[in-house]
Structure formats: C-alpha cells, structure tokens
Amino acid sequence: QQQVRQSPQSLTVWEGETAILNCSYENSAFDYFPWYQQFPGEGPALLIAIRSVSDKKEDGRFTIFFNKREKKLSLHITDSQPGDSATYFCAASEGGNNKLTFGQGTVLSVIP
Amino acid sequence: AQTIHQWPVAEIKAVGSPLSLGCTIKGKSSPNLYWYWQATGGTLQQLFYSITVGQVESVVQLNLSASRPKDDQFILSTEKLLLSHSGFYLCAWSRGTQEVFFGKGTRLTVV
C-alpha cells in the first residue's frame, strides 16, 4: 500500500506559467511534509516543507497548500523557469519517527 | 556549514562480490544518519537509520547491512551483491527527526 501518492507522473508547462504538483497521503499521523527537487544524477535537495498545523507555506516562487481534512497537499511553482525542470518528490513523516516516506515523484519539464 | 561526502561516486561490481559504500558528515555533531536506495527513475526507499555511534536500525531487508563506527561516519555494505542491488545509494543526515539533507549519492551497477 503506497502511503504517499503523487500526480501527475509528468507535467509540462511553458516558461512563466504556474506548475501545480499534487500529493496525497494515507496515514493521518503524518505531520511533516517536505518537498524535494532532484536533478538527474544528483541527490535530492530539500526545497520547502510544511507542518500539519499550517495550511500554507511560501518561499519565493514555491508555495505549499495543505488540506489536512482531505489529506492532500500541492506544490505551486509560479513563473516557472527552464531551470526548474527536475523531478519533484513529496514526502511525509510522523513526529518523533525517523522514517521519511516518499511519493513516486513528478517529472516537471518547463519549455522556454 | 555542514557537508556530506559520499564515496565512491560510482561503482561497477560483479554479482557475488562484496561492497562497501561510505559517507562522512562534517560540521554537525551527533547527527541522525540515513541510507536510502533509489532505482533508476524510481522513488527513494529508506534502508537504515542511526541516531548514535554503534546503533543502527534496519527499515527494509535487502541483504545489506550498515554500521556507524564513528559519530560522523556511516557505512553500507554486503558480502554478496545481487543484480537487484543496482541503483543509486544516498546517504543523508538530519537535525532531529525532520529536515533531512542528502548527499550526492553513489551510482552502483551490478553486472
């Protein structure tokens, strides 16, 4: 049973558009949700994260919207740039637990 | 600033041969340390974590073992490689149990 699901698997947007990446989870005890950005051949880099007590987290062009009741969250990338082309992973963990569960990833392509 | 160094960068090994991958964290005392595995084009699967020297917890069984001989060092190993061990191995550290930071990874090809 996949605990963290992401959609779409792949997404293509034009430069300047807003990319929306979706994530949902099963475990109600999850309370921390980081998003990672990974370029080919590199390790994932922590992009932005939200805790379940918040419904929105913003950092520059990246915003997480969180809906605890529906167990869903989304990452919005505004003014998308070709350099944003990468795989984005949604992850989740339970407070005090040393286990981070990742989704399958969304491959984002930004066309100039 | 904390730095994480993984070695080697890449390995090509034969089925049945031994393996040892390493990871060193500098600039952070007593970090939580993790090993993850990623198949090509796949998600990240946590393998092991360690919160202190000499103590390692296994998350999944993949015929691999891990050790933490020093506060800043984490080793992943096996005595006999399988084809299914091929992939990208990532070491990571965290302060507490959240905000996990990854190294650059080791690409392993088993032939």
Side-chain angles (χ1 to χ4, degrees):
Chain A
Q1 180 190 8
Q2 193 159 343
Q3 296 250 29
V4 178
R5 291 189 177 89
Q6 290 186 245
S7 65
Q9 273 191 300
S10 63
L11 176 66
T12 300
V13 299
W14 293 100
E15 182 175 354
E17 289 187 332
T18 296
I20 300 175
L21 290 68
N22 300 303
C23 180
S24 63
Y25 61 97
E26 300 286 332
N27 187 348
S28 300
F30 285 152
D31 62 357
Y32 173 71
F33 303 88
W35 284 84
Y36 285 84
Q37 179 189 58
Q38 186 178 31
F39 296 106
E42 297 184 11
L46 180 60
L47 190 62
I48 185 172
I50 193 166
R51 290 185 164 80
S52 59
V53 293
S54 303
D55 56 15
K56 182 181 175 182
K57 179 75 176 291
E58 200 168 346
D59 185 357
R61 297 186 294 111
F62 301 91
T63 302
I64 300 173
F65 293 94
F66 180 70
N67 186 322
K68 188 172 184 176
R69 185 179 59 83
E70 294 187 9
K71 290 191 269 188
K72 290 181 178 178
L73 58 156
S74 59
L75 175 68
H76 291 225
I77 305 173
T78 57
D79 188 25
S80 295
Q81 301 297 309
D84 295 331
S85 298
T87 300
Y88 291 81
F89 289 98
C90 172
S93 70
E94 209 176 312
N97 180 324
N98 282 287
K99 182 168 164 51
L100 193 58
T101 301
F102 282 79
Q104 296 296 317
T106 293
V107 179
L108 174 66
S109 300
V110 181
I111 302 172
Chain B
Q2 299 84 10
T3 59
I4 177 169
H5 174 61
Q6 283 191 244
W7 73 90
V9 173
E11 279 265 49
I12 299 175
K13 304 278 281 186
V15 169
S17 63
L19 173 76
S20 181
L21 305 180
C23 169
T24 299
I25 316 296
K26 294 299 182 188
K28 175 69 179 173
S29 62
S30 303
N32 290 349
L33 296 177
Y34 309 86
W35 278 110
Y36 282 79
W37 174 80
Q38 184 178 31
T40 301
T43 188
L44 289 94
Q45 171 68 65
Q46 188 172 342
L47 302 176
F48 299 93
Y49 71 87
S50 170
I51 60 173
T52 192
V53 174
Q55 185 178 337
V56 177
E57 300 296 328
S58 172
V59 178
V60 294
Q61 295 296 327
L62 283 179
N63 271 346
L64 296 167
S65 60
S67 64
R68 186 170 178 176
K70 300 179 186 177
D71 186 55
D72 64 352
Q73 196 173 75
F74 208 17
I75 306 295
L76 183 71
S77 60
T78 183
E79 292 190 359
K80 281 188 178 181
L81 279 166
L82 306 172
L83 283 174
S84 58
H85 285 136
S86 291
F88 199 39
Y89 287 84
L90 292 149
C91 180
W93 70 273
S94 71
R95 35 189 176 224
T97 56
Q98 297 177 344
E99 286 197 318
V100 178
F101 301 95
F102 288 85
K104 294 184 183 295
T106 294
R107 173 71 58 190
L108 174 67
T109 304
V110 182
V111 296

